[in-house]
Amino acid sequence: MAANFWESSHCNEWLLDRNKIEESNSKDKSYLTPMELKRLRTHYCFVIQNLGNALKLRQRATSTAIVYFKRFYLKNSFVDCEPRLIAVTCLYLSSKVEECITQAKKCSAKMKELDHTFNYTMNDILECEFFVLEELAFCLIIYHPYKSLPLYLQNSGLDMASIEIIWGVVNDSYRTDVCLMYPPYVVALGCIYLGSYLLKKDIKQWLSELNVDMKEIWEVSKELIDCYEFEKLSSQNPSEPDFLYAKLPIRNKK
Amino acid sequence: METTNSANQERQQHETLKDDPTNTSSGKEFIAHSNKPQPNGHNNHHVHHSHQHQQPQHHYHKENPHQQQQLQPPKENPQSEPNVHQPVITSQMLSSIVHNVSNMEHIQYNNYDIPWGSKSVETYEKIEQIGEGTFGQVYKAKHKETGDIVALKKVIMDNEVEGFPITAIREIKILKELHHPNVIHLREVVTSKASTANNQKGSVYMVFEYMDHDLNGLMDSPAFKYFSPQQIKCYLKQLLEGLDYCHRNNVLHRDIKGSNLLLNNSGILKLADFGLARPFNSADKRMTNRVITLWYRPPELLLGGSHYGPEIDMWSVGCIMAELLSKKTLFPGRNSIDQLDKIYQICGSPNTQNWTEASDLPYWETLKPKREYPRQLREHYQSENKLYFTKEAFDLLDKLLCMDPKKRITASEALDSAYFWTEPLPCNPKDLPQYPSCHEYRNKKRIRQQQQPQQGQPAQQQTNQQQTQSANLNLQQPPPPNYQGGHHQPNYQNGNTNINYKKQRTDINYQTNQGGPLQPPGYNGKAPYGSQSNPPSNQFSNQQNKPPANRIPSNQPTHKNFPQNRPQQQPNQHR
């Protein structure tokens, strides 16, 4: 939605600092090391992304769902709330909010195709939707960096063909916590900065002329690099999420 | 106490572990400040917990954080020997650990499942029902602690196949973001716990600021005759300001009508009921065509258009303006065909000159005007009071009711129009008279109560819940004081009026509901103000002929929330 970001709940209530984000999944910390927890959290971002693709939802809805998922676990833990169910529910809810509605039945069916151990039904999703809504404090509109990307690219003199790479970087940024910490325009600039580096183009001059905090932009790109490195490492052990999941004494498992 | 203490200790130890740079990436920030090694008792913790914690399976190289402005591409081989890091705790890390530990107390630990209903509706005390939204009942309520009077709008969940209704999601998501003096303020969203009374389903209530009237309620009340030109200008100006704000934020309201414009006794008008509202942007493709209450629906929607923008709201504003000035509904159509016909007759038939794109609309071939009509908006209101229908008022009305949506005036242009800047100027909201609270719903309800004895069928077969609800309402909701004056009370008890009324309602509404395929949810229909031949200059005598303000035919089954009106088989449908 195109309402005013500066007056939004996203800007005024939901830009969090790192301490706040460290409080996520508090109870899971008794069972997993921080590294393992990070691995599992990243894994569910992939789950949401894959399910969103399978349901042919717009990327925007998928990205919104990932933000919902992250916000939900700020106060909750995997052991209390089955992460796969929450992931599907977040995606279902975001499909409604982003006006590309899908059916709860389809969501659970597709999820079962992707993950055969997923035994939750449509009704579980519908019931869970309430919990998610409440935990999100009914703040549903999420602002994304996508909208400002073409404008920035044009303005920075980067070639429009580079948008594909940078668009991909923005998508990847949802696996980090930058979407919880920084306003979307900072995330967009951070991704452009990283993209320009990958494309071997120098846009430092352009960035320095912007009235933005370079430190934040640098932090965003640093988070992204960390994330890429982390994923490179964890890709050596693809079955780890299942192992970690089994390790958690999740209640109400189905 | 002991358990909590030990739990705290444990958390503290986790924190220590977490900040151990060998384990996490977050440790790296702290190295950024200083690299002094301070192996402070770290090992103790580590050993202590080794039975619980698996060693992290992956360690990776941490970049030197000092090279702040140079980005490093992802390393090919992060680190061949990942375990070489010494445990390092700097003074900053220590203070950060202490900070984190003190923070831990603020974290909520759920020892049971998620506390559904943590922000409970129990904090409010319901006073009375005051309305029906597009998707729920509205109650007047009082905050138990602060005493604030609010309106609680319940989200109806019955018959919802797809979970939380999309209309409620739209309304909540939009109202959470809109902050304007002329847009209703959503204070919070509260919930009620599941119980046997509500079928084991929790409910959701939106909490709004309380407003004393809605525009329809006020126009149906005897006070309406006191609306002065200044007052009308003042309301219209506020309506346009609220709408302009929505449109600038790319939100379409899509259901502008009298009962969705709320007023308070400080003279402030607020847009409400965003149940049909949605964000738009020019790139958006098709949107649903089934929006806006029939009488306020613009011709492009009636002709099946599904690419539209803020113009559709502006047409509704035109209808409201005409209604305020003349006290009559401008286009009281019975169904969408009749509606279009009424529009053609007054606004003239569209043709390729005045509306080039009209012929591209889906229903153009079937619904295009059967004959040519000239535009005679001005002629239509010729006999009206010139104090209300000034030249400037006509000019604005003409531009609002422009057939071609592309040429229709926008909200911000309308605010600049001469109408608002010529004498009599819009008055200050604070100077507006105060009225006893009147909502359209209450008017309806009053009528129902009076009709009930004549129907001879007390609502005995309804569910308990409904009975208690209506009983409560009867107790709590005496008619407002001014309605007890003898002027029109007897009319409603007069059988003739009722028969007449029912007939009229049948004429008006049944066809609407059957013939009009385009009813938005919650469309009630609406009785016209008096017959066209009776100029409404004399409100009270006019009310002799006027159908009661009730806008619900007493035997129409579509409104499930009016228990008295339900046909008797209803309880079966209602679980």
Side-chain angles (χ1 to χ4, degrees):
Chain A
M1 177 161 124
N4 187 347
F5 170 75
W6 301 105
E7 289 173 10
S8 68
S9 57
H10 185 166
C11 177
N12 295 312
E13 293 163 41
W14 287 99
L15 290 181
L16 312 168
D17 61 18
R18 201 176 292 273
N19 275 339
K20 185 81 193 154
I21 293 169
E22 293 286 326
E23 291 173 10
S24 310
N25 296 81
S26 47
K27 278 165 109 181
D28 300 328
K29 288 172 188 163
S30 333
Y31 307 98
L32 300 176
T33 65
M35 222 41 176
E36 288 170 335
L37 189 57
K38 187 179 175 188
R39 176 81 167 94
L40 210 51
R41 279 170 64 88
T42 321
H43 170 70
Y44 287 112
C45 297
F46 278 112
V47 169
I48 295 175
Q49 182 72 58
N50 292 341
L51 182 61
N53 293 349
L55 287 165
K56 299 195 175 62
L57 293 180
R58 290 159 61 191
Q59 178 60 40
R60 209 188 145 80
T62 307
S63 303
T64 301
I66 295 177
V67 178
Y68 288 169
F69 185 84
K70 286 175 188 283
R71 285 186 184 179
F72 182 88
Y73 282 107
L74 285 171
K75 280 199 211 137
N76 296 292
S77 304
F78 292 153
V79 285
D80 287 333
C81 314
E82 186 3 292
R84 294 176 305 168
L85 178 61
I86 299 292
V88 179
T89 309
C90 286
L91 194 65
Y92 173 62
L93 181 60
S94 75
S95 82
K96 284 187 189 178
V97 172
E98 300 292 350
E99 305 282 348
C100 52
I101 188 160
T102 180
Q103 289 158 346
K105 208 174 166 183
K106 257 185 168 173
C107 286
S108 62
K110 273 277 183 252
M111 184 66 184
K112 190 148 176 57
E113 277 176 31
L114 297 175
D115 177 352
H116 298 294
T117 57
F118 184 83
N119 281 327
Y120 292 91
T121 62
M122 178 183 101
N123 285 339
D124 295 317
I125 295 178
L126 296 183
E127 195 181 333
C128 187
E129 189 184 17
F130 277 91
F131 298 129
V132 174
L133 274 169
E134 201 184 25
E135 286 302 298
L136 295 175
F138 293 89
C139 295
L140 301 175
I141 290 189
I142 310 287
Y143 290 81
H144 294 289
Y146 301 114
K147 210 180 167 195
S148 36
L149 270 189
L151 180 74
Y152 291 161
L153 285 182
Q154 206 172 25
N155 196 261
S156 67
L158 279 178
D159 134 35
M160 283 310 267
S162 54
I163 195 167
E164 262 180 47
I165 291 174
I166 293 171
W167 196 277
V169 176
V170 173
N171 287 349
D172 293 340
S173 79
Y174 283 92
R175 293 200 294 275
T176 70
D177 290 333
V178 293
C179 51
L180 298 184
M181 292 191 285
Y182 301 101
Y185 74 96
V186 173
V187 176
L189 289 173
C191 294
I192 289 177
Y193 184 29
L194 188 65
S196 75
Y197 191 85
L198 295 173
L199 292 162
K200 306 205 178 6
K201 299 231 168 82
D202 187 7
I203 55 161
K204 284 213 186 81
Q205 179 64 27
W206 175 72
L207 282 172
S208 67
E209 284 163 12
L210 296 175
N211 186 18
V212 287
D213 186 352
M214 270 310 288
K215 193 165 167 287
E216 287 191 335
I217 293 175
W218 183 80
E219 278 164 2
V220 169
S221 39
K222 182 168 154 288
E223 285 278 337
L224 275 163
I225 292 173
D226 286 352
C227 165
Y228 284 125
E229 262 183 66
F230 180 76
E231 283 168 14
K232 185 166 281 179
L233 272 169
S234 47
S235 63
Q236 294 159 5
N237 188 356
S239 63
E240 195 190 4
D242 295 334
F243 168 73
L244 295 176
Y245 175 83
K247 209 166 124 183
L248 284 172
I250 295 176
R251 246 181 294 184
N252 309 325
K253 233 185 236 187
K254 268 196 185 176
Chain B
M1 272 315 285
E2 263 186 47
T3 44
T4 45
N5 274 343
S6 65
N8 271 337
Q9 265 174 16
E10 255 183 42
R11 282 172 214 156
Q12 190 166 352
Q13 287 154 358
H14 295 327
E15 281 305 311
T16 320
L17 259 186
K18 195 178 67 187
D19 284 330
D20 178 357
T22 50
N23 288 349
T24 79
S25 59
S26 63
K28 136 167 59 161
E29 295 149 39
F30 304 113
I31 316 176
H33 303 298
S34 149
N35 276 331
K36 275 181 235 154
Q38 271 188 13
N40 254 359
H42 166 263
N43 288 334
N44 289 345
H45 289 304
H46 209 176
V47 170
H48 183 72
H49 269 270
S50 53
H51 64 280
Q52 265 192 28
H53 292 274
Q54 295 246 333
Q55 280 292 320
Q57 306 201 345
H58 302 297
H59 299 265
Y60 65 98
H61 170 69
K62 289 159 195 96
E63 288 166 15
N64 179 358
H66 290 297
Q67 36 181 319
Q68 291 228 338
Q69 294 303 321
Q70 287 172 8
L71 271 171
Q72 296 245 324
K75 284 253 165 72
E76 277 308 305
N77 232 337
Q79 185 69 274
S80 45
E81 4 158 37
N83 288 321
V84 293
H85 290 283
Q86 294 295 310
V88 179
I89 296 187
T90 65
S91 53
Q92 279 94 343
M93 279 176 70
L94 267 179
S95 69
S96 138
I97 291 166
V98 171
H99 178 71
N100 275 336
V101 170
S102 62
N103 257 0
M104 297 297 273
E105 286 161 23
H106 303 298
I107 304 177
Q108 287 183 348
Y109 283 91
N110 300 336
N111 288 324
Y112 18 79
D113 289 329
I114 320 166
W116 168 245
S118 54
K119 256 190 176 178
S120 171
V121 72
E122 301 289 312
T123 51
Y124 296 94
E125 186 184 339
K126 280 183 198 169
I127 299 173
E128 56 175 321
Q129 184 169 5
I130 52 171
E132 297 282 325
T134 312
F135 59 88
Q137 299 122 320
V138 186
Y139 300 90
K140 181 178 177 179
K142 193 168 116 185
H143 194 281
K144 281 180 185 160
E145 277 159 33
T146 64
D148 291 348
I149 299 291
V150 298
L152 290 181
K153 183 167 173 179
K154 185 179 181 184
V155 179
I156 290 183
M157 298 293 300
D158 303 351
N159 312 324
E160 277 300 332
V161 191
E162 281 300 327
F164 202 73
I166 180 93
T167 47
I169 287 190
R170 282 186 182 146
E171 179 158 25
I172 291 172
K173 80 173 183 194
I174 287 171
L175 284 178
K176 272 258 176 190
E177 309 298 322
L178 296 182
H179 310 282
H180 187 272
N182 298 119
V183 174
I184 194 82
H185 173 56
L186 177 65
R187 291 165 57 118
E188 59 176 334
V189 182
V190 295
T191 53
S192 71
K193 285 201 187 355
S195 68
T196 42
N198 56 19
N199 206 4
Q200 298 303 343
K201 276 184 178 173
S203 1
V204 177
Y205 294 84
M206 292 178 228
V207 184
F208 294 102
E209 57 192 323
Y210 177 72
M211 301 292 281
D212 304 278
H213 332 280
D214 61 57
L215 195 59
N216 270 1
L218 205 55
M219 285 199 291
D220 287 343
S221 81
F224 182 43
K225 71 168 175 174
Y226 299 115
F227 276 16
S228 65
Q230 295 95 313
Q231 189 174 359
I232 293 175
K233 274 190 193 185
C234 173
Y235 287 152
L236 274 178
K237 190 173 172 206
Q238 296 184 59
L239 165 60
L240 284 167
E241 276 169 355
L243 208 51
D244 181 40
Y245 173 80
C246 295
H247 290 170
R248 273 189 287 114
N249 283 299
N250 288 2
V251 171
L252 300 180
H253 185 283
R254 305 203 299 182
D255 198 15
I256 299 282
K257 60 174 173 178
S259 55
N260 287 342
L261 303 178
L262 304 186
L263 300 158
N264 65 15
N265 272 333
S266 323
I268 303 293
L269 178 146
K270 288 177 196 261
L271 292 175
D273 198 344
F274 282 66
L276 281 176
R278 67 161 286 172
F280 73 96
N281 52 57
S282 45
D284 248 6
K285 299 137 289 191
R286 295 164 50 84
M287 289 186 269
T288 174
N289 160 274
R290 301 153 67 93
V291 290
I292 307 190
T293 302
L294 186 66
W295 293 357
Y296 303 91
R297 200 179 295 159
E300 66 268 25
L301 289 185
L302 291 164
L303 287 168
S306 52
H307 297 257
Y308 50 80
E311 322 83 51
I312 58 162
D313 287 337
M314 299 314 294
W315 177 275
S316 311
V317 173
C319 299
I320 297 271
M321 181 177 175
E323 199 166 325
L324 279 169
L325 293 173
S326 71
K327 307 181 179 74
K328 286 198 290 269
T329 308
L330 180 54
F331 306 119
R334 294 191 298 268
N335 52 45
S336 52
I337 296 165
D338 186 46
Q339 183 71 27
L340 258 180
D341 205 46
K342 287 200 157 57
I343 294 175
Y344 293 153
Q345 280 174 28
I346 291 174
C347 292
S349 46
N351 52 44
T352 42
Q353 278 95 53
N354 60 20
W355 186 2
T356 38
E357 280 128 20
S359 51
D360 299 336
L361 292 167
Y363 305 154
W364 172 254
E365 281 310 317
T366 39
L367 294 180
K368 68 182 174 190
K370 299 287 175 285
R371 47 169 284 220
E372 286 281 308
Y373 294 103
R375 189 172 174 90
Q376 40 189 352
L377 194 60
R378 278 163 216 258
E379 290 79 357
H380 182 73
Y381 286 121
Q382 214 154 31
S383 56
E384 294 286 342
N385 191 335
K386 290 284 178 292
L387 275 178
Y388 290 88
F389 283 90
T390 58
K391 180 183 170 298
E392 291 79 17
F394 264 128
D395 286 345
L396 178 58
L397 193 59
D398 191 42
K399 287 174 187 160
L400 285 167
L401 295 175
C402 171
M403 294 293 276
D404 185 349
K406 290 252 165 60
K407 295 180 201 145
R408 206 171 293 150
I409 195 170
T410 67
S412 70
E413 287 163 3
L415 283 167
D416 287 339
S417 74
Y419 176 68
F420 294 110
W421 303 98
T422 45
E423 293 291 341
L425 291 173
C427 58
N428 190 328
K430 287 190 198 104
D431 304 336
L432 289 175
Q434 301 197 348
Y435 303 103
S437 172
C438 32
H439 294 95
E440 193 188 26
Y441 173 79
R442 184 184 284 188
N443 294 346
K444 288 176 198 165
K445 213 184 86 33
R446 181 164 43 84
I447 309 303
R448 279 201 319 274
Q449 283 172 1
Q450 281 150 357
Q451 279 176 350
Q452 213 166 359
Q454 293 165 14
Q455 288 175 0
Q457 266 298 348
Q460 278 180 355
Q461 302 190 21
Q462 283 148 14
T463 62
N464 287 337
Q465 197 187 347
Q466 284 166 343
Q467 267 183 352
T468 37
Q469 186 188 53
S470 56
N472 282 343
L473 288 171
N474 285 340
L475 278 179
Q476 290 169 346
Q477 224 182 327
N482 64 330
Y483 287 124
Q484 286 165 353
H487 276 300
H488 46 287
Q489 191 92 348
N491 283 342
Y492 298 134
Q493 286 160 359
N494 175 337
N496 285 336
T497 316
N498 270 325
I499 291 164
N500 179 22
Y501 156 73
K502 274 185 193 166
K503 263 190 181 165
Q504 281 196 33
R505 296 304 317 176
T506 316
D507 286 342
I508 291 173
N509 243 352
Y510 270 88
Q511 292 187 16
T512 317
N513 280 344
Q514 290 161 0
L518 307 169
Q519 296 306 334
Y523 171 63
N524 293 340
K526 185 177 157 192
Y529 297 115
S531 58
Q532 299 280 330
S533 56
N534 272 355
S537 51
N538 185 339
Q539 280 288 321
F540 287 124
S541 67
N542 194 29
Q543 284 197 348
Q544 304 281 337
N545 297 329
K546 179 179 173 179
N550 181 354
R551 291 168 181 192
I552 303 285
S554 55
N555 52 353
Q556 185 177 349
T558 47
H559 299 277
K560 54 183 173 185
N561 302 306
F562 295 119
Q564 296 92 328
N565 292 341
R566 283 188 172 220
Q568 285 156 15
Q569 68 269 25
Q570 276 301 81
N572 296 334
Q573 291 172 12
H574 189 87
R575 293 163 314 194

